Structures are given as structure tokens and as C-alpha cells.
Amino acid sequence: MYDLTVIIPTFNEEANIRNIVLAVDAVFRENSLNGQVLVVDDNSSDGTIPAVTDLKRTHPNVDILVRTEDHGLSQSVADGFRHAASNVFVVIDADFSHPPVLIPRMYEEIKKGCDVVIGSRYMEGGGIKDWPLKRRIISTGATFLGRLLFPDVTDPVSGFFAVKKSVVEDAPLKPRGYKILLEVLGKGSWEKDKEIPFEFIDREAGASKLRLKTIIEYAEQVVDISLYSFTHHESAAWREWKRVFKFGIVGLSGIIVNLGILWLLVEYALLDKNIASLIAIEISILHNFVWNDLWTFRAKEDVRITSRWQRLIAFNLVSIGGSVINWGLFLLLTAGFSVYYLLAQLIGILVAFVWNFLVNRRVTWTRK
Ligand SMILES: Nc1nc2c(ncn2[C@@H]2O[C@H](COP(=O)(O)OP(=O)(O)OP(=O)(O)O)[C@@H](O)[C@H]2O)c(=O)[nH]1
Ligand SMILES: [Mg+2]
């Protein structure tokens, strides 16, 4: 049994495989880690397989799994999970896009109690070197979609991560496409994650395999994980849906508060209707803030905006933005597209709701 297994998926990586295996093994030795290197190859036609077989002779901790069916990167990594001879897995690309020197830090975090440790390109200190605009746009879109499911994770589609065996061993992974991490986060059982920044360096050797099919598969995967979470309430994605529901309930109750206050102010305080409406709006915003702070997001020390007053100001500003969106859409739909005014208002409310949730989630109640 090894301390950890570094899984390297490969397909025609002759130009890199020897160097990456040796680099990972050197990191093991420098850090006194008893590590296994497991190359999972999709029956490459170049010299990848002989190169690993050759290395095995001098390095008994190097293994190779050659697959002949169900070709695919994610499928290969999932196969690697099943064949690894340890309880901690690290997944890394063969083309030196991911720095092997970070492996010991990832392993340390797992030892300290994390279930998943992610190498992030999108957190402070991380980055991407030498990517053409097209790749950047696709990656940004994929990351945005992934963050809808896991908003606390800055890079939920990273190919560089460490995970405990217990997270994935009973998970009904349906691996496909390129984003195995999203599948692990969506179907695995985990509580604690941590991200470590790194700079992604585009490959120098060998060929890229990104195709349109990859993008379609990815969209299917996001939908599949959402549906899965509806029937698996222990999943992390369900935790997020719960927040959406709670946020919605708070919003609905805010409408009752809003109307109730307006009625009281007009009928009993005999206030001018226009002034009373403004006061009622602000009080309902305050009401919503308190419930979202205490209940929906359970804000504790782990939020970035530690002052409750500052969170209140942020929430207020976001709510005003939501109202502007609501009203703007109403004007656009009724005047521009002759939509029935109640329907136009309803669409405005729904879009403002999405705005309010997403922006407050990422700003007002974002994690440290
Ligand atoms: N087993 C297996 N490995 C694959 C497959 N496709 C890619 N890989 C490996 O997965 C890793 C990432 O693939 P890349 O082609 O580098 O993907 P990328 O980083 O998104 O794109 P480029 O670096 O620009 O080519 C590399 O180690 C590849 O050899 C596959 O179908 N099966
Ligand atoms: Mg690459």
C-alpha cells in the first residue's frame, strides 16, 4: 500500500511521458513520500506504452493500465481510481501543464482533513499562461457553469486535483468528457475542500484534443449532476439548491412583509402612499437580509465580508440592482415586445431573483 497514487491519464504522450513520470517520482523522493505513479493509457499508438514499461524496470512504483474500451479522459481517470493501490489519489496531466511540485502540498491538505484539494487557475495567485483567446472563452464559460453548482469552488473543472479514495469509491460516477473533477464534486461524498493556486502552462509537446463534442458532453454533465442532486440530498450540489429554495422562501415572505407594512403605514400611520411604499420596500429588504444572513447562508467567520453592516449594505445595493433589472425588463417587454404586463412583470421578477441570488452568493456571502 502506498501513501498516495498519482494518476496520469495519457493518450499519445510519447513526447512527455518519460519526463513527467520521472518528475513526479523525484517529487516523491524529495519529500519522502511513498508514492505510486499510475499511468492510465487509452492504448496509445505512439511510444507511450513502451516508455512506461521501460521505466517500470527501474522504478517498481510505476504502473501502467492500458485500456482498450470506452476511450476517454474521464473514463481513464475513473479507472485509475479503481486500480490505484492507496487511499489518496492525485490526478495530473502528462503535458506539464500542472506543476508536480505542488503534489506534496495537496497530500498534506488531505492528511489535515480535506476530502478534495483542487489546483485552481482562477483564484488569487493562479493563472493561465499562453492560452489563445478561444480557449480562454471556452474555459471561462465552462467554469461559470460549474460554479453554478459549486459556487465556493473557483475552479470546479480543473484537471489537477487530489481526492480521498472514500470520496469516490462508492460514488456512481458517470465519467465522460474532460471534466472528471466536476463529476467527483457532483457525485462524490465530500464535505471539506481546499484550493491551491497554480499557473497552468500550455503544452509545449504533443497535440491537443479539445473538440466541439467535448463542450456538448460537458453541458450534458452539468444537467445530469443537477438532476442527480435532486434525488441525492447528501450531495454538495443539493446544498446549493437548498440555498436557492431558502432564498426564494425568504423573498416570498418579504413580499408579505412589504405589503403588510405598506398597509399599516397607510391605514394607521396615515402616511402618504408614495412615501409609505418606499419605507415598506426598505423594511422588506432589511427583513430579507436578516433571514438570509441567519438562515439561508448561515454567515459565520468564514464569510469574506465579516461585518454584518457591510453585508447589509452590499445586499441593499444588489437588491436595488435587482429592482432596476425587474423594471427595465418590464419596460422592454411591454413597450418593445407587447408582452402582457403581468407576464412581463413576472419575467422581470424571475430574472431579478436569479440576479439577486447569484450576485449575493458571490459577493455578499462569498466564502473566504
Ligand atoms: N487516457 C486518456 N488520456 C487522455 C485522453 N485525452 C487526453 N488525455 C490525457 O489527458 C491529459 C490532458 O489532455 P490534453 O490533451 O493536454 O488536454 P488539454 O490540456 O485540455 O489541452 P492541450 O494541453 O491544449 O492539448 C493529457 O495527459 C492527455 O494525454 C483520452 O482520451 N484518454
Ligand atoms: Mg494539456
Side-chain angles (χ1 to χ4, degrees):
M1 211 50 175
Y2 295 95
D3 294 336
L4 77 163
T5 301
V6 172
I7 297 171
I8 311 178
T10 54
F11 187 60
N12 293 340
E13 289 288 1
E14 184 185 329
N16 295 305
I17 190 63
R18 188 181 163 80
N19 290 339
I20 187 76
V21 170
L22 290 176
V24 170
D25 193 56
V27 166
F28 286 162
R29 269 182 287 113
E30 280 154 25
N31 294 273
S32 315
L33 288 170
N34 177 24
Q36 177 192 26
V37 180
L38 178 57
V39 176
V40 187
D41 185 81
D42 261 330
N43 208 7
S44 297
S45 52
D46 68 353
T48 305
I49 299 170
V52 182
T53 322
D54 188 46
L55 276 168
K56 261 171 79 79
R57 263 180 258 157
T58 45
H59 298 75
N61 62 330
V62 175
D63 284 297
I64 183 163
L65 176 67
V66 179
R67 306 172 73 249
T68 48
E69 280 165 29
D70 195 21
H71 183 111
L73 172 53
S74 289
Q75 294 91 315
S76 298
V77 173
D79 253 358
F81 292 160
R82 284 186 282 272
H83 286 83
S86 77
N87 293 323
V88 180
F89 313 145
V90 177
V91 181
I92 191 169
D93 283 358
D95 59 1
F96 284 91
S97 290
H98 306 143
V101 288
L102 286 183
I103 293 171
R105 264 191 68 198
M106 291 178 147
Y107 179 67
E108 270 313 300
E109 294 296 342
I110 295 270
K111 295 285 284 187
K112 279 199 262 172
C114 283
D115 299 305
V116 190
V117 182
I118 300 167
S120 171
R121 300 161 292 177
Y122 294 113
M123 73 190 290
E124 220 179 295
I128 295 173
K129 224 176 117 182
D130 299 335
W131 250 17
L133 186 66
K134 187 181 150 212
R135 291 281 311 257
R136 279 180 197 276
I137 293 171
I138 292 174
S139 178
T140 307
T143 309
F144 175 79
L145 264 183
R147 281 191 196 164
L148 291 178
L149 294 170
F150 311 104
D152 292 324
V153 180
T154 63
D155 198 350
V157 294
S158 175
F160 187 31
F161 61 94
V163 62
K164 275 186 185 154
K165 181 181 183 176
S166 58
V167 172
V168 291
E169 66 183 338
D170 297 321
L173 300 181
K174 219 202 270 179
R176 86 217 86 178
Y178 259 49
K179 313 298 186 192
I180 182 68
L181 176 59
L182 199 78
E183 193 70 14
V184 168
L185 294 174
K187 311 267 178 79
S189 41
W190 60 278
E191 294 280 334
K192 198 168 178 321
D193 68 302
K194 166 131 193 154
E195 290 188 280
I196 294 176
F198 81 99
E199 184 171 53
F200 184 99
I201 299 164
D202 203 12
R203 67 162 69 241
E204 277 177 12
S208 175
K209 291 125 202 156
L210 184 79
R211 279 168 300 152
L212 179 68
K213 187 167 153 254
T214 320
I215 300 171
I216 297 168
E217 276 176 335
Y218 177 67
E220 284 172 2
Q221 189 184 6
V222 170
V223 171
D224 179 61
I225 290 173
S226 307
L227 296 177
Y228 175 88
S229 72
F230 279 104
T231 49
H232 293 78
H233 293 177
E234 72 290 350
S235 64
W238 180 254
R239 291 201 281 276
E240 196 54 29
W241 282 119
K242 264 196 339 211
R243 293 193 188 99
V244 175
F245 296 143
K246 287 179 171 180
F247 198 79
I249 291 170
V250 170
L252 285 177
S253 71
I255 294 175
I256 298 171
V257 169
N258 189 331
L259 291 175
I261 297 280
L262 179 63
W263 180 73
L264 283 175
L265 291 178
V266 171
E267 300 297 327
Y268 293 92
L270 304 178
L271 230 67
D272 173 67
K273 277 202 299 296
N274 301 337
I275 305 284
S277 169
L278 266 184
I279 297 174
I281 289 171
E282 186 54 35
I283 290 179
S284 70
I285 290 177
L286 288 175
H287 161 273
N288 289 5
F289 173 77
V290 170
W291 284 102
N292 283 324
D293 204 57
L294 294 175
W295 185 54
T296 312
F297 295 105
R298 296 179 195 281
K300 299 207 190 75
E301 308 80 48
D302 61 337
V303 286
R304 187 176 300 153
I305 306 180
T306 45
S307 149
R308 178 163 282 157
W309 290 108
Q310 285 177 10
R311 290 202 294 276
L312 174 62
I313 291 168
F315 183 76
N316 242 300
L317 291 175
V318 175
S319 300
I320 291 169
S323 307
V324 170
I325 289 173
N326 190 338
W327 191 54
L329 262 176
F330 178 82
L331 294 182
L332 180 75
L333 292 172
T334 49
F337 297 89
S338 329
V339 175
Y340 180 58
Y341 76 101
L342 286 179
L343 179 64
Q345 184 78 327
L346 184 66
I347 294 171
I349 290 172
L350 291 177
V351 174
F353 175 81
V354 173
W355 154 273
N356 281 338
F357 182 81
L358 290 181
V359 179
N360 279 309
R361 179 71 174 92
R362 293 216 42 87
V363 178
T364 314
W365 285 288
T366 188
R367 249 183 10 162
K368 266 193 190 123

